[in-house]
Amino acid sequence: MELKEKLVASFMAFENRGNVDLDSKVHQVRTEAFEFFEKNDFPTKRDENWKYTSLKSVLKHDYNVFPKKENTLEFKDVKKYFIHDLDSYKIVFIDGVYSSFLSETTHEGFDICLMSSALKMEKYSGVMEKYFNKIAPKETLTSLNTAFADEGAYIKIGNNTVVPRPIQVINFSTGAEKDIIIQPRNLVIVGENSQVQIIERHQSLTEDHKTFTNSVTEIFADKSSIVDYYKIQNDLETSSLIDGTYIEQQEKSVVNVSTFSFGGKLTRNNLVFHQQGSRTESNLNGISILDGKQHVDNQTLVKHNSPDCESNEMYKGIYAGKSKGVFGGKIIVDQIAQRINAFQKNNSILIGEKSEINAKPQLEIFADDVKCSHGCTIGQLDEDALFYLQSRGIPKKEAKALLLFAFGNDVLEKIKIPQLKSRIRKQIAKSLKVNLEFEW
Amino acid sequence: MSKYTEDDLKKELEVQEYEYGFYTDIESDTFPAGLSEDIIKAISKKKDEPQWLTDWRLDAYRIWKEMEEPDWANVNYEKPDFNAISYYSAPKSVDPNKTLDDVDPELLKTFEKLGISLDEQKKLSGVAVDIIVDSVSVATTFKKTLGEKGIIFCSMSEAVKEHPELVRKYLGTVVPKTDNFYAALNSAVFTDGSFCYIPKGVRCPMELSTYFRINEGGTGQFERTLVIADESSYVSYLEGCTAPARDENQLHAAVVELISMDDAEIKYSTVQNWFPGSKEGKGGVFNFVTKRGICHNRAKISWTQVETGSAITWKYPSCILKGDDSVGEFYSIAVTNNYQQADTGTKMIHLGNNTKSTIISKGVSAGFSQNSYRGLVHISPRAKNARNFSQCDSLLMGDQCGAHTFPYIEVKNNTAKIEHEATTSKIGEEQLFYCNQRGINTEKAIALIVNGFSKDVLNKLPMEFAVEAQKLLEISLEGSVG
Amino acid sequence: MLKIKNLHASINGNDILKGISLEVKAGEVHAIMGPNGAGKSTLASIIAGKEDYDVTDGEISLDGNDIMELSPEERAHKGVFLSFQYPVEIPGVSVTNFIKTSINESRKAQGLEEMPAKDMLKMIREKSDLLEIDRKFLSRSLNEGFSGGEKKRNEIFQMAMLEPKLAILDETDSGLDIDALRIVANGINKLKSKDNAVIVITHYQRLLDHIVPDFVHVLHDGKIVKSGTKELALELEEKGYDWLKNI
């Protein structure tokens, strides 16, 4: 059965599970989203936004839409996927189902809990009405996620609150049954003057079966709040991920999103910022280090809808083997958004003989008092620098790694959690296939 | 640097309206509006063309009928009614064996108003000119001097008759009939244009120049230009465009093909000043042009354009860098004011090894206009050591206009080095105050700043054109400051 | 020559100047000193006609004519020159082209012919020698990539070319090393005559070692709190500005 047909059939089953209140707003939203998906189908390369990424190879598998049975994991087996030396809250899902055993949630002072409860329980209905599916765009994949929205992280921080520990959100896929599609739906609401740090990860555990994750996260940052969101994408080669992260910022808020892509077969990140208040700041950072036949597509959009705002974007990519990178960065400055500073940088190094990069940095400017720029470079390692290091006795392989490491370092420097930084640093060394303990 | 003085500038500045917006009252021979196979056959017959060309046109027409008008560009306009256009309009008194003396005196006056006095041109500037009014080439100067070097510079109709083997060999090889909607239309109905062939090893001793002008109302202009630079030759080619001010939109869909053989170089410069429409956005020329060149080994093509006119510009002069060590360049200034819309840029297709391309694009938007840069740099898997540098800068004047940048960069070879930079900014209050304080009024200060902004491109134009281009920039931005 | 009476000015509702009166006669050099934020640069900008400020009260006249309603370029045409504290970059416009435009616009305003190219070149040669400016410098884009010192020297070069009646030098000494300071000061001294006047705005007294003022005014919180002769500058150097707060 075609994936689409299967999803259509599954949607009926999903809505008929008996625990759905057919009069609820959420039900309406899901139904509308589903209709949109059904009408518009999966994107193809004919869609301008998918010009360089084909989903064909991902969509051809026969995925289970719901896991047949509840799978469990031992902490010791998955410990390495946590930043385990970090004191943190944890929200963990196994094949899309919440694992209370591996999680550490709270309702004290703020809510770090489950989307499923938020969607079902009466006391959250007001919040859901105000925030759920409010900034996720009407696109087929997001709509598909909305239609099946059921589980994920729900994080709500009130005003004037600094969450003392980072929150780790991890989605495990066991590969225990057969190929599976997982659609996590996260909602993050941060009140005025509040601060939170979130680390998100998608992880498959065996290569026996394919995993296709279609994840959507909505983030609302109220006045003067600070949100740091880190995405670790280091999955197995049997897994593909489509991630949509949509952010709305109010006055003077700062939102930083860092995306680290090392693994996975196909990864597509849609990252969208809406600056709805003046003097907001948005920072987008990313590193992709790919090999083999991996494919990563980063699509970012910053919509400057208010005056006196700033955005800084820096994406770096190192492509080995036959890997392919895509970067699409769009900055739109609305007519009322005067005095905007928007900067975008995209640097790529092609190592693999058959590696490729397609870049499409775009500016759409409708206000005149702005300073916007984008820079894009594609090239190789500096031969002179390489020679210099070799002449100082550093073997070529290590010298290359050192230079590549330095290339990605300014993105690394943006990480505020030391344990995470050290973990990413190690991962980079591993991806570059060298055993160097870099101290910077 | 020129005879052009501040007083001349002052006079220019007093002319608020479109300077070239006059209509020449000469009898012309115009076909009824509409497009059909019969009309195409009639055009071909009127021009006494060989059968192969008639067939070629008809083939293009059939292809065109199946195509849809593109709408991906960042422009909004009412699609032209292709059946309301007259596809052939020629000043009546044209005689194929004409000399300058035979040219309709009214038409000569037109040229004078355009600032092209043919006699003057002949004597002073050493520029050979081919002039296309509406659809027909009316005068080509300097033919004799050029002939001595074996250079062919004539109208396309003449080339079809005199050098059919060259036309047949190269026509449509760079821009095929199937390329796009407007190129297909042009292939079906083109009426004239310029043809140029530079033989092996010849350096063309003078600038070759074509002036295009749309005169009749309700006509479309579909000219076809073919420039062939044979091995180790060089040519610098200039193109100027004007049209009278009219309320309705006029369609201009030209095709330009350049062929730069091994070690040859073509420099192609355009000053485009079609009628941009009135201040309220009424009328103006729709300029949908396909320009492309192919470079063989060690060959070079350099496009320079100053785009100030047209209601809508849709134009991407491109280079196919097929040969090893070939070079493509694109230098562009596009100024939009009032309700103009421009979507312009280039494509650099790197196929050969060690190919190099440079893109410098400057956009100035004022009034309610929208100005977009759209470009592609493509490095094919076989192109080793390709290099590209691109710089796209936009200057915004006023808060009702827009400036947009849509570059596409596709790299499929890991030895490529690509650098792309783009910036958007406005003329700073501080810059204006600084100029004012030095006694320079705001209007003059803006002209100065815009000229400075465009300098990298203006410098690439031949001297005669640089002065004219500079004037045009100033006139185009008239009244754009509160 | 310049008369300022009871000048009050504000920006975005904040009062910056709170009643300044000053008279500068031909042939005089006035120094205006004061701590950061006292209003020194504001005063200079208002004399030059910058429109960002609201002049709420007072008058400014030049040679007995009110100039308050004149645009910045009209004031420039009447001989007001401001050497900017932060000269602005204009990419693609060469120093020569800029100064040529500037001179000819002023001449045009005075009903004069454009300066013949020959004379212009001669003058450029003379004045650049005076300020020890390399010719190559003149073909560079105005202020783009100039060092702090080069920018200031370029300002004084333009002043030399324009021969203003009233020159206001806003922090011209900042960013200059000792040698450059000497060259610039030397240039200014050579340009001084009995027919023109100079207002030197500075935070420190070191420029005044080279350009000796006839009068020194201390500006504090939008008012001239003390005026005197060149000795006042030395006193300020010694005591700093703090003691003035109590005056």
Side-chain angles (χ1 to χ4, degrees), chain A residues 233 259-263 267 269 285-291 294-298 315-320 323-327 346-349 357 407-408 411 428 431-432:
Chain A
Q233 301 171 344
T259 308
F260 305 102
S261 308
F262 306 117
T267 305
N269 292 304
N285 296 300
I287 305 183
S288 303
I289 303 179
L290 306 187
D291 202 347
Q294 288 180 292
H295 180 112
V296 168
D297 181 348
N298 279 303
Y315 272 76
K316 305 246 179 167
I318 298 171
Y319 304 95
S323 66
K324 280 186 195 171
V326 182
F327 174 79
N346 170 229
N347 306 118
S348 303
I349 291 185
I357 172 83
F407 169 76
V411 175
I428 290 178
S431 295
L432 297 173

Side-chain angles (χ1 to χ4, degrees), chain B residues 165-455:
Chain B
E165 70 299 340
L166 283 174
V167 176
R168 196 169 182 180
K169 184 170 175 195
Y170 293 108
L171 186 72
T173 56
V174 190
V175 180
K177 291 175 286 206
T178 48
D179 193 79
N180 69 66
F181 184 82
Y182 303 113
L185 178 62
N186 175 287
S187 302
V189 303
F190 76 88
T191 32
D192 216 330
S194 298
F195 176 85
C196 170
Y197 172 80
I198 317 290
K200 275 184 194 173
V202 171
R203 209 183 150 81
C204 185
M206 60 186 76
E207 314 275 357
L208 300 184
S209 170
T210 304
Y211 262 85
F212 294 107
R213 179 173 167 79
I214 302 176
N215 210 33
E216 281 296 293
T219 57
Q221 178 141 319
F222 304 93
E223 76 270 355
R224 186 100 193 178
T225 302
L226 180 56
V227 180
I228 303 151
D230 212 329
E231 289 171 25
S232 305
S233 67
Y234 167 86
V235 63
S236 169
Y237 194 98
L238 318 176
E239 176 190 84
C241 317
T242 58
R246 287 182 186 286
D247 272 357
E248 76 270 32
N249 296 104
Q250 287 157 293
L251 178 65
H252 174 251
V255 171
V256 175
E257 295 178 280
L258 309 185
I259 295 150
S260 195
M261 311 286 253
D262 289 359
D263 301 293
E265 179 176 350
I266 301 175
K267 197 172 151 58
Y268 197 103
S269 314
T270 304
V271 174
Q272 187 263 104
N273 185 27
W274 297 118
F275 178 53
S278 70
K279 268 208 173 102
E280 294 73 35
K282 217 168 158 15
V285 171
F286 288 172
N287 190 30
F288 302 138
V289 175
T290 308
K291 290 183 166 180
R292 193 176 303 149
I294 188 162
C295 285
H296 294 274
N297 291 327
R298 297 169 302 280
K300 181 174 173 182
I301 287 178
S302 182
W303 299 99
T304 306
Q305 59 172 24
V306 177
E307 302 280 316
T308 63
S310 295
I312 296 180
T313 303
W314 180 100
K315 175 177 169 188
Y316 316 91
S318 303
C319 297
I320 300 170
L321 303 173
K322 185 172 173 237
D324 290 349
D325 304 288
S326 58
V327 176
E329 293 176 343
F330 175 75
Y331 301 99
S332 167
I333 310 168
V335 179
T336 53
N337 197 358
N338 300 320
Y339 287 89
Q340 282 177 273
Q341 302 177 56
D343 195 300
T344 184
T346 184
K347 290 183 191 177
M348 293 291 175
I349 313 291
H350 292 252
L351 302 176
N353 294 328
N354 310 313
T355 45
K356 248 193 245 169
S357 63
T358 304
I359 299 172
I360 307 282
S361 166
K362 306 272 179 177
V364 181
S365 336
F368 297 86
S369 69
Q370 299 296 332
N371 200 332
S372 304
Y373 167 81
R374 186 183 303 275
L376 168 68
V377 174
H378 178 92
I379 314 291
S380 84
R382 284 173 303 126
K384 285 205 181 105
N385 299 316
R387 299 281 176 269
N388 164 267
F389 175 78
S390 305
Q391 172 85 49
C392 306
D393 296 322
S394 307
L395 197 62
L396 287 147
M397 297 168 66
D399 60 3
Q400 302 291 317
C401 55
H404 318 292
T405 321
F406 305 99
Y408 291 70
I409 303 163
E410 303 174 352
V411 181
K412 299 187 194 305
N413 185 296
N414 74 337
T415 56
K417 272 205 171 80
I418 312 289
E419 268 179 82
H420 172 97
E421 284 171 36
T423 64
T424 303
S425 54
K426 72 166 205 160
I427 293 181
E429 292 298 323
E430 295 297 321
Q431 284 178 318
L432 290 178
F433 178 62
Y434 187 85
C435 293
N436 291 160
Q437 206 297 308
R438 298 294 189 259
I440 303 166
N441 68 35
T442 302
E443 189 132 19
K444 183 86 196 165
I446 286 172
L448 196 69
I449 293 165
V450 168
N451 264 315
F453 174 77
S454 315
K455 199 176 179 184

Side-chain angles (χ1 to χ4, degrees), chain B residues 133-149:
Chain B
V133 169
D134 286 341
S135 308
V136 169
S137 171
V138 290
T140 308
T141 62
F142 268 110
K143 208 178 224 172
K144 201 163 151 258
T145 327
L146 295 169
E148 284 161 11
K149 295 224 167 211

Side-chain angles (χ1 to χ4, degrees), chain C residues 6 11 18 26 46 69 79 84-85 88-89 128 135 155 161-163 171-172 174 204 218 226:
Chain C
N6 191 31
I11 187 163
K18 303 170 181 170
I46 289 174
E69 295 304 315
F84 283 62
Q85 185 180 1
V88 180
E89 294 180 5
S128 56
R135 294 289 149 66
E155 290 293 282
M161 291 293 292
L162 290 164
E163 299 175 332
E171 303 275 1
T172 297
S174 67
Y204 303 104
V218 182
K226 201 165 168 60

Side-chain angles (χ1 to χ4, degrees), chain A residues 141-199:
Chain A
L141 285 151
T142 10
S143 296
L144 179 63
N145 177 288
T146 305
F148 287 91
D150 180 41
E151 193 55 287
Y154 173 83
I155 297 166
K156 184 168 190 302
I157 319 294
N159 294 345
N160 307 309
T161 309
V162 176
V163 179
R165 295 187 265 161
I167 305 163
Q168 298 196 57
V169 180
I170 306 190
N171 288 279
F172 287 112
S173 152
T174 59
E177 298 167 58
K178 62 178 297 228
D179 299 347
I180 188 168
I181 176 168
I182 304 175
Q183 305 204 60
R185 177 71 171 222
N186 306 315
L187 180 59
V188 179
I189 304 158
V190 185
E192 286 182 26
N193 288 312
S194 293
Q195 295 181 24
V196 66
Q197 296 181 315
I198 299 166
I199 303 166

Side-chain angles (χ1 to χ4, degrees), chain C:
Chain C
M1 177 188 289
L2 176 76
K3 255 190 204 157
I4 301 175
K5 251 196 244 163
N6 191 31
L7 186 67
H8 285 75
S10 65
I11 187 163
N12 301 330
N14 299 322
D15 293 335
I16 312 267
L17 301 184
K18 303 170 181 170
I20 290 197
S21 297
L22 182 67
E23 182 168 2
V24 179
K25 296 202 178 79
E28 291 178 351
V29 176
H30 288 243
I32 296 180
M33 303 184 71
N36 289 330
K40 302 190 298 285
S41 289
T42 302
L43 177 62
S45 297
I46 289 174
I47 298 171
K50 197 166 189 189
E51 279 152 16
D52 299 0
Y53 300 93
D54 300 318
V55 175
T56 47
D57 199 5
E59 313 172 354
I60 304 177
S61 65
L62 193 69
D63 294 331
N65 301 314
D66 183 3
I67 59 166
M68 293 299 276
E69 295 304 315
L70 299 185
S71 66
E73 60 268 28
E74 288 167 327
R75 298 184 201 202
H77 298 157
K78 292 197 179 305
V80 175
F81 179 90
L82 171 63
S83 166
F84 283 62
Q85 185 180 1
Y86 304 108
V88 180
E89 294 180 5
I90 306 184
V93 177
S94 70
V95 174
T96 314
N97 187 9
F98 183 75
I99 196 69
K100 189 183 94 188
T101 312
S102 174
I103 286 179
N104 284 333
E105 287 292 309
S106 292
R107 290 177 69 100
K108 200 158 74 182
Q110 286 146 22
L112 297 171
E113 289 279 299
E114 283 194 4
M115 185 181 278
K118 194 169 59 102
D119 299 355
M120 183 81 75
L121 278 174
K122 185 166 164 265
M123 191 170 176
I124 287 175
R125 205 170 299 141
E126 248 174 59
K127 305 295 183 183
S128 56
D129 285 348
L130 174 72
L131 288 154
E132 300 179 30
I133 287 174
D134 188 343
R135 294 289 149 66
K136 267 185 252 152
F137 178 85
L138 300 173
S139 62
R140 286 171 61 187
S141 284
L142 191 71
N143 291 321
E144 200 183 31
F146 285 18
S147 69
E150 284 173 328
K151 284 184 182 170
K152 294 302 169 68
R153 213 187 285 197
N154 178 36
E155 290 293 282
I156 303 306
F157 167 68
Q158 291 182 35
M159 170 182 157
M161 291 293 292
L162 290 164
E163 299 175 332
K165 198 180 281 174
L166 173 70
I168 306 162
L169 311 179
D170 189 4
E171 303 275 1
T172 297
D173 51 335
S174 67
L176 292 182
D177 61 29
I178 300 282
D179 289 332
L181 184 72
R182 185 183 44 76
I183 294 163
V184 165
N186 198 13
I188 296 167
N189 285 329
K190 284 208 180 119
L191 297 168
K192 230 170 62 183
S193 78
K194 63 176 176 30
D195 300 320
N196 60 28
V198 182
I199 298 175
V200 182
I201 292 175
T202 181
H203 191 77
Y204 303 104
Q205 99 98 31
R206 65 172 196 162
L207 182 64
L208 305 180
D209 286 342
H210 299 275
I211 306 169
V212 182
D214 300 302
F215 300 96
V216 175
H217 311 278
V218 182
L219 195 61
H220 182 256
D221 193 23
K223 279 181 280 212
I224 290 177
V225 292
K226 201 165 168 60
S227 294
T229 53
K230 63 180 185 209
E231 285 72 24
L232 178 58
L234 294 168
E235 199 180 339
L236 282 170
E237 181 78 358
E238 202 179 308
K239 295 189 186 167
Y241 290 108
D242 280 351
W243 62 280
L244 289 167
K245 286 180 186 160
N246 304 320
I247 295 177

